[in-house]
Amino acid sequence: MRNSITVLVDQASVLEVPLAVPPPSATTRQYRKIALGLAASDAAAICLALILSYWLRFDLQLLPGRELVLIGLAPLVWVLVFQAFSLYSPMYISPAEEFRRIFGATGVGVVLLVMVTFWSKSSFSRGWIALTWALALLFELLARRLWRLHQHRRKLEGRLALRTLIIGSTGEAIRLAQTLAAPGSGFLPLGYVQPHGIHEAGDTLPVLGGIDQLRELIAEQSVDCLFVASTLVESDALEVVSQAGRRQGVQVLVSANMNHVLSSRVALQQVGSVIALALRPVRLTGTQAIAKRAFDLVAGSLALVMTLPVWLAAAIAIRLTSPGPVFFHQERVTKGGRTFPMHKFRTMRQDLPAGADTTVPFFKIDQDPRITRVGHLLRKWSLDELPQLWNVIMGEMSLVGPRPLPTEQVAANLELLGPRHEVPAGMTGWWQINGRSDVAPAQAVRLDAFYIENWSLTFDFYIALKTMATVVERKGAY
């Protein structure tokens, strides 16, 4: 049991006061070790970026003493900045939010290092600044990706799972338990705690007791986390949960029932005695639309130039192995319901019928007999999509957005697919990096709606980078 002292209040009553917060659990200690590892890798990333950028800028010259002073101070500045951006709380930050914060922290960190150079009088030239920022961002993203993989493996093994009590026992609480029980969630649901006035049984998990027994249950079950099903818990019960969590040294989470919103859009706002969740609007302003278009033009043009040898090899292979044109053109639908001819490398024979209803949303056949051998290879690595870079440059598509669907699919399923056309169609999108062709139509629409609801330029960049990993994994590609 937790240590406590008993204070005499009067002849008839005593007050029990906790002596101290209990020691952290094994899972909490592991998270703290990961946080220390993150700080160490961040310090190494900025040192490596500074050294490599200097060598690239000044032709492998030895670093002068003043530059060595800067490199010696850089890890301290860097870690403090990343701490200010809350990047050492691996339990509380999602991959997409971490990606967004790393961009901001890297920019601020480089600016502060430039200010340090004025003090140290080092030769931090504009070329060195640009190279340092680019390399630091690259090293940070790579290191954080490796740490994410490490955490995911430990979660799958059950070695990084928070032992969790769910406050509530029906409806939302049961759905919450199912989510937490999924492999790799990072939580181990133990059972339900019933709030005041609720006396219904749970599902596959036991009801361990009432909220008045919460402190005893935390000790008995060695609990790391209290997860509140918010719609089932009154404010007075939530206060009891918060107090128990604080006194027993456990994490308290409250479900927000907002699974369609990224955390970066949410802010807390107090209205009288009520705490409200404020949602940042996401409709593109004129400046944001210009920034998105500029990103498409720059990145799309670079990608087209860099992949021209692949275009040439694909065109030759298609012409040598099957009769017909190199390119395939199809009318697709983009923002506002406008149609445009989308370009792809031809991957199918033209002398065989489709053999299925092509008006089905997201229609695609696994092991389609019409696909040629070269077409199978192109699809496997998503190389058949490269001609859409021309669509992007011409402004008919964006690099990131809901995938454009054929006009017959949209016309036959307008109620389901119509909301996808609030933004320009894209070469890749949120559902492409969450399953590609293996995603059911209804789920694909929900994922596209999530993207539309949470658009930002850093979110686009995150999806673009994740697409590269998805292509390498080749999941759902056919």
Side-chain angles (χ1 to χ4, degrees):
M1 293 295 289
R2 303 297 199 258
N3 293 331
S4 63
I5 59 174
T6 301
V7 178
L8 182 63
V9 178
D10 54 35
Q11 293 283 334
S13 62
V14 294
L15 178 65
E16 188 179 36
V17 180
L19 276 175
V21 174
S25 67
T27 302
T28 302
R29 289 196 299 271
Q30 288 187 61
Y31 270 115
R32 289 180 180 177
K33 289 179 181 178
I34 289 172
L36 290 173
L38 288 169
S41 64
D42 291 341
I46 186 56
C47 288
L48 187 59
L50 284 168
I51 293 170
L52 286 180
S53 61
Y54 187 89
W55 285 345
L56 289 170
R57 177 66 180 83
F58 298 107
D59 300 324
L60 298 178
Q61 293 182 23
L62 291 176
L63 276 76
R66 287 176 299 190
E67 276 66 22
L68 290 174
V69 170
L70 173 65
I71 292 171
L73 291 173
L76 177 61
V77 173
W78 205 253
V79 170
L80 288 175
V81 170
F82 274 57
Q83 174 64 32
F85 276 77
S86 300
L87 280 162
Y88 298 126
S89 303
M91 285 191 293
Y92 305 109
I93 185 171
S94 67
E97 177 64 11
E98 182 180 52
F99 181 86
R100 186 184 70 83
R101 292 186 191 180
I102 285 172
F103 258 82
T106 302
V108 171
V110 169
V111 169
L112 289 179
L113 290 177
V114 171
M115 294 173 65
V116 170
T117 63
F118 289 106
W119 170 75
S120 65
K121 298 181 180 180
S122 61
S123 55
F124 209 153
S125 67
R126 284 175 293 181
W128 191 12
I129 293 170
L131 281 171
T132 297
W133 179 83
L135 290 174
L137 182 60
L138 174 63
F139 295 153
E140 287 290 354
L141 293 176
L142 288 174
R144 293 280 172 154
R145 175 63 176 167
L146 292 175
W147 277 111
R148 281 283 172 184
L149 291 173
H150 170 71
Q151 290 179 67
H152 184 62
R153 283 195 299 268
R154 295 183 74 85
K155 286 178 180 179
L156 288 175
E157 295 166 357
R159 299 166 62 189
L160 202 60
L162 298 170
R163 295 174 59 83
T164 303
L165 292 179
I166 298 172
I167 314 301
S169 59
T170 60
E172 181 192 348
I174 292 175
R175 292 191 296 273
L176 181 58
Q178 292 169 347
T179 300
L180 300 184
S185 72
F187 294 88
L188 176 64
L190 305 172
Y192 302 104
V193 176
Q194 292 182 328
H196 295 308
I198 304 295
H199 301 289
E200 296 186 37
D203 56 345
T204 56
L205 292 176
V207 176
L208 298 175
I211 203 166
D212 55 339
Q213 303 168 287
L214 186 56
R215 292 181 62 186
E216 290 79 8
L217 291 172
I218 291 173
E220 292 171 3
Q221 301 291 331
S222 300
V223 170
D224 299 311
C225 176
L226 303 174
F227 215 130
V228 181
S230 59
T231 59
L232 303 176
V233 179
E234 299 292 338
S235 58
D236 59 339
L238 188 55
E239 186 176 348
V240 172
V241 174
S242 177
Q243 186 180 79
R246 184 178 67 253
R247 290 183 174 180
Q248 305 299 101
V250 301
Q251 180 181 353
V252 177
L253 299 176
V254 181
S255 65
N257 286 318
M258 299 174 67
N259 56 1
H260 63 292
V261 176
L262 278 176
S263 59
S264 59
R265 284 191 58 210
V266 178
L268 294 178
Q269 181 176 338
Q270 186 156 0
V271 183
S273 61
V274 176
I275 300 296
L277 294 177
L279 298 184
R280 177 181 57 82
V282 293
R283 186 170 295 278
L284 271 66
T285 65
T287 303
Q288 290 172 329
I290 292 172
K292 183 174 175 66
R293 180 64 184 142
F295 173 68
D296 287 341
L297 278 173
V298 173
S301 299
L302 287 174
L304 190 149
V305 171
M306 292 173 63
T307 57
L308 279 178
V310 180
W311 287 54
L312 180 60
I316 294 172
I318 292 169
R319 291 301 300 268
L320 291 178
T321 56
S322 64
V326 169
F327 296 103
F328 170 75
H329 313 282
Q330 187 178 50
E331 286 294 311
R332 301 279 178 119
V333 183
T334 186
K335 182 180 180 180
R338 297 192 304 273
T339 60
F340 70 98
M342 191 188 77
H343 313 304
K344 298 178 71 173
F345 283 121
R346 181 176 60 83
T347 59
M348 293 186 179
R349 296 172 54 184
Q350 297 184 306
D351 57 344
L352 293 177
D357 184 4
T358 57
T359 63
V360 174
F362 305 94
F363 165 77
K364 213 167 189 180
I365 302 175
D366 189 9
Q367 305 298 327
D368 194 321
R370 296 173 296 165
I371 300 177
T372 64
R373 285 180 298 174
V374 170
H376 177 74
L377 182 64
L378 292 174
R379 287 187 173 209
K380 183 178 181 181
W381 293 99
S382 297
L383 299 176
D384 59 319
E385 312 284 357
L386 286 178
Q388 289 159 45
L389 289 169
W390 185 248
N391 290 119
V392 171
I393 293 171
M394 296 302 295
E396 297 165 330
M397 291 175 61
S398 177
L399 283 174
V400 181
R403 282 292 294 164
L405 296 178
T407 53
E408 63 268 22
Q409 287 187 25
V410 176
N413 304 274
L414 194 56
E415 185 175 349
L416 174 67
L417 302 178
R420 302 173 71 253
H421 304 123
E422 291 184 34
V423 297
M427 284 187 67
T428 184
W430 188 236
W431 71 263
Q432 271 68 39
I433 64 173
N434 284 280
R436 302 175 76 178
S437 298
D438 291 335
V439 175
Q443 177 66 3
V445 171
R446 285 194 293 272
L447 291 170
D448 284 334
F450 181 90
Y451 169 78
I452 295 169
E453 186 74 23
N454 297 281
W455 180 88
S456 72
L457 197 58
T458 51
F459 194 31
D460 273 8
F461 195 25
Y462 174 78
I463 292 172
L465 290 180
K466 286 284 287 184
T467 298
M468 299 179 189
T470 302
V471 168
V472 171
E473 293 173 357
R474 304 192 300 278
K475 292 181 179 179
Y478 50 82

